[in-house]
Amino acid sequence: MAANKTYVWPILALGAILSTNAQNTLTPKEKERMANKVEVFTPDERDNIQMWFYEQTNKLGLSESTRNTYASILSDHIYELGRLTDKDKNYDQAEILSKIEEDKTKVNAKIKPLLTESQYQQHLEHYNRVLDVYIKRIKENK
């Protein structure tokens, strides 16, 4: 059970693609970041995506150590993706899409050595599905 709790937090970082949670006391930098944040998904959509991805990742059957490393890599990647649409980045749609592809290549290169070929193929299928939804929403909103 502890392994699952450890893993839930990084998967919930998938929400970084989607929103930034406000706190009562924010630093000026955090306030600026929130002012520039662009919400790509509604909270319900974000929750559904997070739960679906979490369930799919559980099906990979990863060891606790591998699961934690996998989640850490994805958390960092997802945070960066979530910042691409922020107003202060001033990226046009083509730049955002290019950066998504660039980062996807980097993250998959880090993840591939952690997984068996079958697990990696499942990862690609699930992660690409999430990215496809994200890209579709970006194209709709720009």
Side-chain angles (χ1 to χ4, degrees), residues 4-69:
N4 284 339
K5 286 183 182 178
T6 301
Y7 186 58
V8 169
W9 291 111
I11 288 299
L12 291 179
L14 189 57
I17 256 184
L18 322 161
S19 78
T20 301
N21 293 324
Q23 299 175 358
N24 291 335
T25 56
L26 298 173
T27 66
K29 187 173 184 169
E30 289 170 327
K31 287 179 184 178
E32 180 183 347
R33 188 170 284 159
M34 287 190 67
N36 287 314
K37 185 69 183 159
V38 174
E39 298 294 338
V40 177
F41 295 102
T42 68
D44 284 342
E45 290 171 328
R46 181 181 63 248
D47 291 345
N48 288 336
I49 291 168
Q50 289 171 344
M51 287 308 301
W52 178 84
F53 192 78
Y54 175 75
E55 290 167 4
Q56 299 309 310
T57 302
N58 281 341
K59 292 178 183 178
L60 294 176
L62 304 175
S63 70
E64 181 178 354
S65 174
T66 301
R67 184 174 53 237
N68 290 338
T69 303

Side-chain angles (χ1 to χ4, degrees), residues 99-117:
K99 289 186 181 296
I100 290 170
E101 284 302 315
E102 234 176 74
D103 208 43
K104 180 173 84 169
T105 300
K106 289 178 189 175
V107 79
N108 286 336
K110 290 179 184 178
I111 286 176
K112 188 171 184 170
L114 301 174
L115 308 176
T116 66
E117 186 58 33

